[in-house]
Amino acid sequence: MQAVVSDRPAQVVVVTGASAGVGRAIVHRFARAGWRIGLIARDATALDEVRREVEDMGGTALVAPADVADAQAVFAAADRIASEFGAIDVWINDAMVTVFSPFWNMTPKEFRRVTEVTYLGFVHGTMAALRHMRPVDRGTIIQIGSALAYRGIPLQSAYCGAKHAIRGFTDSLRTELLHEASRVRLTMVELPAVNTPQFDWARTHMPRQPRPVAPVVQPEVIARTVFDAVHRPHREYWIGLSTLKVILGNMLLPAFLDHYLARFVVGAQETTQPVSPERADNLVNPVTPLHRTRGRFGSEAQDSAIVVSGPVARVLPVLIGGLALLAMGLVAGASSTRTRGRTTRLTRRHAGNGRMAIP
């Protein structure tokens, strides 16, 4: 189904993973700006609650339940939203699942499920968005990524693999859109650790409850950046100093990071609380009672974070390094000049003394 061409301001956004965490925070931000929002996630009950929140905030929402691992369900949801609201201006891929486990303790079925939701869910969402955006030659697609799209960490091999795949797929697609001079824009937003419910409902094979690796930010920090990215598009946004450190550090010292992460980051992803045998997880089926925006690590979560575009983040260390080298050169030059000046004065003094001694 093709959307109708219109000159109206961008007002329709579709969010996958809209029922909880970052996705739900993003929905709230667009709702406060009065957007019409298509809500996609598996749990219809949770989405109905989000819809009521949107209406209370001044927006309009349409519930379109779908498992993003099911391409046809995502396509149908997109068609329904476009039929109800009109042209889709912005599509945000956010849905994810993960498993906290050493790789060798995971089953092939678990690994496949993480890949189908966290990677192929983005592929399906992007396909659905382009079916509506390319015919009218406009629109914005935002991929919610992670610092882990650049640097894998222990206990999350499937999730890290999926985030790496999203970045590779998005880079490839971007070149294809550029080739056809498309006005559809692609932005990837790389996240730090975020205080969401995923640590309460992600499947785990570890003895203790999972937790985010500090430092942690609130999901509203991500929502603000995503909303800003729609109006100030860049190829990529990096959120949080930890994200900058991880990505740039991996570019410069990957082997060092291998050993650092191996030593410190396994324990950094566990609390002291044992995992209950009755603990439910959302890998296959949603856990309705746990759908909310924030997780249980609010006491340590930050309400703000540094945000930079990817190109600036990459160039900044080079500029700083260049300026540091320049400063060192100037200091060395000034020191050398002072040394030569002292040497010249001493030489002249000694020469003068010598002339006075001649009879």
Side-chain angles (χ1 to χ4, degrees), residues 208-244:
R208 291 176 291 277
Q209 291 276 16
R211 58 151 293 135
V213 179
V216 185
V217 303
Q218 296 288 21
E220 290 81 7
V221 173
I222 314 305
R224 291 194 297 270
T225 301
V226 170
F227 187 79
D228 290 344
V230 171
H231 300 92
R232 292 189 291 275
H234 289 286
R235 185 179 188 278
E236 195 174 23
Y237 278 92
W238 296 358
I239 304 177
L241 185 58
S242 61
T243 297
L244 273 70

Side-chain angles (χ1 to χ4, degrees), residues 137-160:
D137 195 28
R138 67 176 179 84
T140 298
I141 300 170
I142 296 182
Q143 317 284 38
I144 303 301
S146 168
L148 306 189
Y150 285 86
R151 172 69 239 190
I153 65 172
L155 303 186
Q156 295 202 62
S157 56
Y159 180 82
C160 293

Side-chain angles (χ1 to χ4, degrees), residues 15-21 23-25 27 37-41 46-47 50 94-95 291:
V15 182
T16 73
S19 60
R24 194 164 182 160
V27 168
I37 307 169
L39 307 174
I40 297 180
L47 288 180
V50 177
D94 173 66
H291 280 88

Side-chain angles (χ1 to χ4, degrees), residues 115-320:
T115 304
E116 288 173 346
V117 174
T118 308
Y119 170 48
L120 292 181
F122 279 54
V123 173
H124 300 156
T126 303
M127 284 181 173
L130 289 177
R131 288 186 174 197
H132 291 270
M133 293 177 179
R134 285 187 65 247
V136 298
D137 195 28
R138 67 176 179 84
T140 298
I141 300 170
I142 296 182
Q143 317 284 38
I144 303 301
S146 168
L148 306 189
Y150 285 86
R151 172 69 239 190
I153 65 172
L155 303 186
Q156 295 202 62
S157 56
Y159 180 82
C160 293
K163 289 299 183 182
H164 273 70
I166 291 166
R167 184 164 62 89
F169 147 67
T170 300
D171 287 348
S172 179
L173 173 59
R174 185 181 289 107
T175 62
E176 294 172 2
L177 292 172
L178 288 170
H179 176 74
E180 68 172 19
S182 172
R183 292 191 297 167
V184 175
R185 300 174 302 190
L186 279 177
T187 295
M188 191 160 180
V189 181
E190 311 297 6
L191 275 54
V194 186
N195 177 35
T196 71
Q198 70 157 302
F199 304 97
D200 295 323
W201 64 19
R203 181 168 294 185
T204 181
H205 297 315
M206 303 300 291
R208 291 176 291 277
Q209 291 276 16
R211 58 151 293 135
V213 179
V216 185
V217 303
Q218 296 288 21
E220 290 81 7
V221 173
I222 314 305
R224 291 194 297 270
T225 301
V226 170
F227 187 79
D228 290 344
V230 171
H231 300 92
R232 292 189 291 275
H234 289 286
R235 185 179 188 278
E236 195 174 23
Y237 278 92
W238 296 358
I239 304 177
L241 185 58
S242 61
T243 297
L244 273 70
K245 289 179 177 179
V246 167
I247 296 176
L248 296 175
N250 191 63
M251 291 177 181
L252 297 172
L253 298 168
F256 169 79
L257 271 185
D258 288 342
H259 292 277
Y260 178 88
L261 295 170
R263 182 176 180 182
F264 295 108
V265 174
V266 172
Q269 293 182 84
E270 289 187 286
T271 68
T272 58
Q273 301 170 331
V275 173
S276 168
E278 291 77 34
R279 185 180 188 274
D281 69 68
N282 75 335
L283 185 63
V284 178
N285 299 305
V287 184
T288 300
L290 292 180
H291 280 88
R292 56 185 184 272
T293 304
R294 294 183 173 188
R296 57 192 173 89
F297 298 93
S299 61
E300 61 182 273
Q302 302 169 3
D303 292 314
S304 63
I306 183 174
V307 178
V308 296
S309 66
V312 171
R314 290 182 177 89
V315 170
L316 191 59
V318 177
L319 292 177
I320 293 173

Side-chain angles (χ1 to χ4, degrees), residues 14 46 59 70 75 81 88 96 127 211 228 245 267 312 330 359:
V14 178
D70 182 342
F75 298 161
I81 293 165
I88 297 172
M96 55 77 65
M127 284 181 173
R211 58 151 293 135
D228 290 344
K245 289 179 177 179
V312 171
L330 291 173

